[in-house]
Amino acid sequence: MKILMASSEAVPFAKTGGLADAVSALSLSLAKLGHEIAVVMPRFYSVDRLRLNRLEGAMGVPVGDGEVWCAVYKTALPGSTAKNPVTVYFIDHEIFFGREGIYGTPSEPDFLDNPRRFAFFSRAVFQLCRKISWYPDILHAHDWPSALVPVFLKYGERRGGFAHTKSVLTIHNLGYQGIYSKDNFPFLSLPWNIFYEAGFEDWNMMNFLKAGINSADKLNTVSPHYAEETKTQAHGFRLDTVLRYRSGDYLGILNGIDTDLWNPAHDLTIPKPYDVKDMSGKAQAKEALQKEFGLPIEPNIPLIGMISRLTEQKGVGELFGPGYGSAYSFCKNMKLQFVILGSGETWCEHEIMSLSSRLPNFAAKVGYNESLSHLIEAGSDFFLMPSRYEPCGLNQMYSLTYGTLPIVRRTGGLADTVENYNQDTGSGTGFMFDDLSPSAIYNTVGWAIWAYYNRKQHIEDMQTRGMKTDFSWKKSAGTYAAMYESLTKEH
Ligand code: ADP
Ligand code: GLC
């Protein structure tokens, strides 16, 4: 089958979170299954044009009541091979994408022209296929920035080469929907009746994701547990009704991880690769991590790591909220070390730096650092993810693969991938809690630290179990392929 992934992010080109990892790894796995895969994304400033090949001629994209012209570049997705190639196409437009930031900058977190930037991008997807005379069986959109792709397909583009094309929309995070003033609607070049028919209307605003959910031929989110949660009022971000309405076409498919990039046995970014048979590399990584963060080098003190976007979704209020967050208390009262790498909300960046200067066993780095994130996964004993909600979560799977035991809230994909420790039998792969409260986090961290000091064998068994679990994309890529096939058969 021919599949075109339309996404605002894909590693290694542009990434703010797991969406980028998921899109590239899924594409590579589908290619390995023998499908013809291409990815299309905007050419952000961070992507160096000199490393790409330019397609000849300019490309006109119909938006508003005219046309906007852009260039197209392409390159091979790193990790793909001549036998199973994945081509990435870049839509290059200086005014829309020639700036720092993917969706915004710290001073302007959501660019004012985002509705136009991503409407333009989604329309450009169709022009790209015409330009290269390559018409996919499936157009696969991801999250709100490309949610208009299924809308454009259903309301106007399903003709010519696209006559039999079907669309899939994957929801990686329901918390971001792309809700903007409906004054932007004319830019989509769709008649006003479609505003209502496609379900853009949202309290007199325009909701990209809602229209995408209504228009896509099939929908999915990134774990079975989250699929169920999103159909409830508590987790549906006001779209639970729409998702329940579409539940016959809505699946939960667990993300995998790219085991070429995230594999302790082949990881060149850590001091010494390791596996279950020889864990000495993990001890070396711990030492390097303590050094990197300026903590006392102590092999026998439990080290908790965390890598996160610092946003409410990740439970940072309950962890770092000044005056009530649990991190201060568990660092003060327990014999442990804590390292965190993250960026996001300003109050939280300030708070972790402040804790860093006040507590001798707490160290933080604000920023984004890919290779340091590998060292944290490898060098930590535990990995903390107290998420308020988590569609899938990749870090807990990276942790398990690196023999680092997750301490997580039982929600979304965390509930699907971590098995709670049973201290009587020693079974499980991590430590779980249900309530999102500072005391629940405190107590569960305490439980893990207790096990570290008092149940050494259990800890080792849990590490081995996690490291032996197969989190690769293979199985899930097959499930996506089956979903595509069910659609093409419909025709
Ligand atoms: P989300 O997509 O909600 O942020 P995931 O767990 O699915 O959560 O994916 C997060 C990804 O982003 C992981 O690959 C993680 O290592 C990475 N990441 C997040 N923050 C940082 C950071 N500050 N530096 C390096 N990598 C980060
Ligand atoms: C989102 C979710 C995260 C998921 C990732 C990849 O950013 O927050 O849970 O793992 O997308 O699907």
Side-chain angles (χ1 to χ4, degrees):
M1 260 181 301
K2 291 182 189 164
I3 299 137
L4 178 59
M5 301 280 173
S7 176
S8 50
E9 300 184 27
V11 284
F13 305 110
K15 168 168 169 176
T16 65
L19 165 68
D21 302 60
V23 167
S24 296
L26 171 61
S27 302
L28 293 170
S29 292
L30 286 165
K32 273 191 202 139
L33 292 179
H35 299 289
E36 214 178 303
I37 311 290
V39 178
V40 54
M41 63 185 290
R43 204 286 297 185
F44 296 109
Y45 244 22
S46 56
V47 186
D48 185 356
R49 270 194 291 228
L50 294 176
R51 291 166 172 230
L52 312 174
N53 302 309
R54 191 187 163 133
L55 267 56
E56 215 172 292
M59 184 172 92
V61 179
V63 281
D65 48 18
E67 235 175 357
V68 168
W69 290 81
C70 61
V72 181
Y73 286 79
K74 72 171 182 176
T75 191
L77 182 64
S80 69
T81 57
K83 193 167 154 243
N84 307 112
V86 177
T87 306
V88 185
Y89 292 94
F90 295 88
I91 305 299
D92 187 41
H93 187 267
E94 191 58 27
I95 292 172
F96 284 139
F97 303 118
R99 60 181 93 162
E100 297 299 329
I102 296 179
Y103 312 109
T105 55
S107 57
E108 191 188 356
D110 190 13
F111 289 133
L112 220 57
D113 56 351
N114 271 348
R116 287 163 192 252
R117 296 169 79 222
F118 291 105
F120 164 77
F121 168 66
S122 299
R123 187 65 97 173
V125 168
F126 295 89
Q127 296 303 82
L128 166 71
C129 296
R130 292 190 177 99
K131 184 174 172 72
I132 59 176
S133 299
W134 186 81
Y135 294 93
D137 301 302
I138 303 288
L139 274 170
H140 189 157
H142 298 264
D143 275 351
W144 77 265
S146 56
L148 294 189
V149 170
V151 183
F152 287 139
L153 180 67
K154 181 167 176 183
Y155 298 98
E157 293 280 17
R158 198 173 259 142
R159 59 193 154 87
F162 296 105
H164 303 303
T165 300
K166 300 284 175 165
S167 65
V168 169
L169 173 64
T170 298
I171 301 167
H172 295 262
N173 195 331
L174 204 54
Y176 302 88
Q177 299 178 6
I179 304 174
Y180 297 101
S181 162
K182 66 179 187 187
D183 293 351
N184 292 295
F185 187 73
F187 189 72
L188 274 49
S189 304
L190 292 172
W192 271 103
N193 63 309
I194 303 299
F195 183 73
Y196 300 96
E197 211 176 306
F200 277 104
E201 204 280 335
D202 185 5
W203 291 89
N204 211 27
M205 301 282 280
M206 173 168 105
N207 185 325
F208 276 48
L209 189 66
K210 181 164 169 269
I213 290 174
N214 279 313
S215 308
D217 293 307
K218 283 258 187 233
L219 303 164
N220 80 293
T221 187
V222 288
S223 72
H225 206 89
Y226 191 62
E228 289 314 308
E229 286 177 341
T230 50
K231 286 183 266 179
T232 65
Q233 206 179 6
H235 297 275
F237 284 96
R238 300 182 308 111
L239 294 187
D240 45 301
T241 349
V242 189
L243 289 169
R244 284 200 298 277
Y245 178 69
R246 295 241 35 206
S247 59
D249 297 312
Y250 179 42
L251 296 175
I253 306 176
L254 192 69
N255 280 335
I257 63 172
D258 186 330
T259 43
D260 288 334
L261 289 178
W262 293 93
N263 186 342
H266 304 120
D267 195 329
L268 298 176
T269 65
I270 58 176
K272 182 183 156 199
Y274 61 91
D275 57 24
V276 267
K277 281 187 230 109
D278 177 7
M279 296 283 276
S280 57
K282 186 159 177 72
Q284 282 192 23
K286 183 169 178 177
E287 188 181 327
L289 182 57
Q290 288 168 328
K291 211 179 271 169
E292 174 72 33
F293 276 86
L295 288 169
I297 312 276
E298 295 201 39
N300 296 320
I301 197 163
L303 174 53
I304 302 179
M306 184 165 173
I307 306 158
S308 189
R309 291 185 291 118
L310 303 174
T311 63
E312 209 199 333
Q313 177 196 344
K314 304 295 179 179
V316 294
E318 286 69 13
L319 198 52
F320 302 119
Y324 69 96
S326 53
Y328 177 81
S329 323
F330 66 66
C331 286
K332 197 93 189 134
N333 299 340
M334 297 179 201
K335 199 160 174 253
L336 55 76
Q337 291 178 334
F338 188 100
V339 297
I340 174 164
L341 165 67
S343 60
E345 288 171 23
T346 313
W347 74 265
C348 193
E349 292 185 350
H350 289 167
E351 184 60 22
I352 60 174
M353 291 322 289
S354 153
L355 286 174
S356 218
S357 64
R358 282 186 285 151
L359 292 163
N361 55 346
F362 181 107
K365 283 190 197 279
V366 166
Y368 190 91
N369 188 331
E370 195 77 31
S371 61
L372 185 55
S373 74
H374 285 244
L375 186 63
I376 295 177
E377 290 292 3
S380 305
D381 299 295
F382 300 98
F383 193 91
L384 184 59
M385 275 179 96
S387 303
R388 178 171 302 277
Y389 71 94
E390 197 60 79
C392 179
L394 299 174
N395 274 314
Q396 82 281 10
M397 293 193 270
Y398 299 150
S399 301
L400 288 162
T401 308
Y402 280 74
T404 301
L405 306 181
I407 302 171
V408 303
R409 179 154 177 262
R410 198 191 317 266
T411 183
L414 299 173
D416 288 321
T417 49
V418 180
E419 190 199 326
N420 201 12
Y421 172 52
N422 178 328
Q423 66 192 55
D424 297 327
T425 62
S427 67
T429 55
F431 300 82
M432 305 178 88
F433 57 96
D434 291 291
D435 292 344
L436 179 56
S437 65
S439 60
I441 301 175
Y442 183 95
N443 291 335
T444 314
V445 166
W447 187 31
I449 300 304
W450 170 85
Y452 181 90
Y453 286 118
N454 300 290
R455 295 288 182 273
K456 270 258 167 310
Q457 191 57 49
H458 284 178
I459 294 282
E460 279 173 24
D461 293 346
M462 288 165 86
Q463 286 182 314
T464 308
R465 225 170 275 136
M467 291 175 80
K468 284 188 169 165
T469 310
D470 180 6
F471 289 111
S472 70
W473 263 103
K474 213 166 156 204
K475 188 164 157 235
S476 299
T479 314
Y480 275 99
M483 171 164 68
Y484 302 147
E485 259 148 37
S486 73
L487 278 172
T488 49
K489 275 206 193 93
E490 258 173 36
H491 152 70

